[in-house]
Amino acid sequence: MSEEYHSDDIEEIIQQISEEKLFTGSPRSKLVEAILILLYARPLRTSEIAANLGYETKYISSYLSYWKKKGLVYQEGGRWHLSRKGEELAKELMESYTNSKFKEILLLAKQILDTKQVKQSINNKTKEKQDKNKQELLLFIDDQTSKIENKQQKSNITDCIKEILKRLDQDEKEIIKYLLDKYMEWGTTYIYLDQLQEELKADTNWIFKVLKGLQTKRLLYIYQDPKMGIRIGLSQTLKKLLSDC
């Protein structure tokens, strides 16, 4: 018998045939093909073939008897052997399997190559997007820097509301000046209470008293944001004075 195939190869072929994954045709033809390849490895008893393929012994026996009449197998010493005709058919099945396996591996190799090309294309697009985002970020930073520089070039913003500041006590001035500093630095017109309290190291009762006073004078507004908490912001009147400054 040819030594072209190893026993591990034959077992893998038998497994695929028995699971009806490789050859076309009826379950009967698939079982016969599995038996032929199994016997190609070595002569076996009926019970051994049945145990390896997961069928009842009498079921396998009926198949062997039928294909014995067709000249594919013969029995000798209690074991089944392949005839010359059966061996030729088994070889054809083996070649069919190896060709099929090669095609599967070739397909996998092409898929790997395609995946690499796709990844390369994705990486190129990602790099282009990152470069674009970087350019936009630099433009944004430049724009924000210009705005801050323009604000700093204006006259001191407190000069625009000096008349208002004169009417405030020291505690109220402290909070207003803090908010004005944030406005000058970031352009924001509001801040959240917990941030304000933390940065000023302020007592809760004291800060609420001062904020209510500024709200009464219509310099600040207090808004309860359901998600973010209490927001403290410059009033519309004060924002208009600042924008006109």
Side-chain angles (χ1 to χ4, degrees):
M1 187 177 67
S2 172
E3 296 296 328
E4 183 180 357
Y5 300 99
H6 298 291
S7 59
D8 291 343
D9 297 328
I10 294 172
E11 288 180 5
E12 185 177 355
I13 294 169
I14 293 169
Q15 179 66 22
Q16 291 200 27
I17 293 173
S18 64
E19 292 177 359
E20 302 183 10
K21 292 181 179 178
L22 182 58
F23 300 100
T24 57
S26 67
R28 173 180 173 137
S29 65
K30 291 185 178 67
L31 179 57
V32 171
E33 290 169 353
I35 292 173
L36 291 177
I37 290 178
L38 191 60
L39 292 177
Y40 185 82
R42 63 182 176 88
L44 295 168
R45 299 181 185 276
T46 305
S47 59
E48 292 174 327
I49 296 172
N52 277 285
L53 298 181
Y55 286 86
E56 292 184 6
T57 301
K58 62 180 180 180
Y59 191 71
I60 297 297
S61 180
S62 65
Y63 273 74
L64 290 169
S65 298
Y66 176 80
W67 289 106
K68 179 181 179 181
K69 295 177 182 178
K70 296 293 182 179
L72 294 178
V73 296
Y74 66 92
Q75 194 172 25
E76 186 177 278
R79 290 182 172 83
W80 290 94
H81 301 253
L82 291 178
S83 66
R84 183 175 297 275
K85 181 180 178 181
E87 187 172 337
E88 289 175 356
L89 179 55
K91 287 180 180 179
E92 289 178 8
L93 294 172
M94 298 291 287
E95 289 174 1
S96 175
Y97 166 76
T98 54
N99 288 336
S100 175
K101 186 173 183 179
F102 175 77
K103 290 178 181 178
E104 291 176 1
I105 294 174
L106 178 60
L107 178 61
L108 177 60
K110 288 183 177 180
Q111 288 176 344
I112 291 172
L113 183 60
D114 289 343
T115 301
K116 182 178 179 181
Q117 292 173 344
V118 168
K119 285 183 178 179
Q120 184 176 1
S121 177
I122 291 174
N123 289 339
N124 290 338
K125 290 181 179 179
T126 301
K127 187 176 184 304
E128 291 175 3
K129 185 175 181 180
Q130 288 175 342
D131 290 342
K132 183 180 178 182
N133 291 341
K134 183 178 180 181
Q135 184 178 7
E136 291 177 350
L137 177 60
L138 290 174
L139 290 173
F140 173 78
I141 293 173
D142 182 64
D143 180 62
Q144 294 300 312
T145 303
S146 298
K147 288 180 179 179
I148 293 172
E149 288 176 349
N150 289 336
K151 286 182 180 180
Q152 290 174 341
Q153 289 171 359
K154 292 181 180 181
S155 59
N156 192 328
I157 200 168
T158 55
D159 291 341
C160 299
I161 59 169
K162 60 183 178 180
E163 294 301 321
I164 294 176
L165 293 174
K166 288 180 181 178
R167 298 196 295 270
L168 302 179
D169 61 34
Q170 191 59 38
D171 292 339
E172 292 172 336
K173 286 180 182 179
E174 183 178 356
I175 290 181
I176 289 293
K177 285 183 178 180
Y178 174 83
L179 292 172
L180 291 179
D181 287 342
K182 292 296 179 185
Y183 174 76
M184 287 292 295
E185 185 177 3
W186 303 107
T188 181
T189 60
Y190 66 88
I191 191 172
Y192 288 94
L193 178 62
D194 56 348
Q195 182 184 357
L196 177 65
Q197 188 173 0
E198 181 180 349
E199 295 194 18
L200 292 181
K201 310 289 185 200
D203 175 75
T204 303
N205 293 332
W206 173 86
I207 202 167
F208 267 111
K209 178 182 178 181
V210 178
L211 289 174
K212 287 181 179 179
L214 291 170
Q215 184 183 36
T216 302
K217 295 175 181 177
R218 298 185 178 180
L219 296 177
L220 299 180
Y221 71 84
I222 301 175
Y223 170 70
Q224 176 67 51
D225 188 319
K227 294 182 179 180
M228 302 297 292
I230 299 175
R231 189 167 71 194
I232 312 300
L234 302 177
S235 67
Q236 292 293 337
T237 301
L238 193 51
K239 283 192 287 188
K240 188 175 185 310
L241 286 172
L242 296 176
S243 63
D244 293 341
C245 181

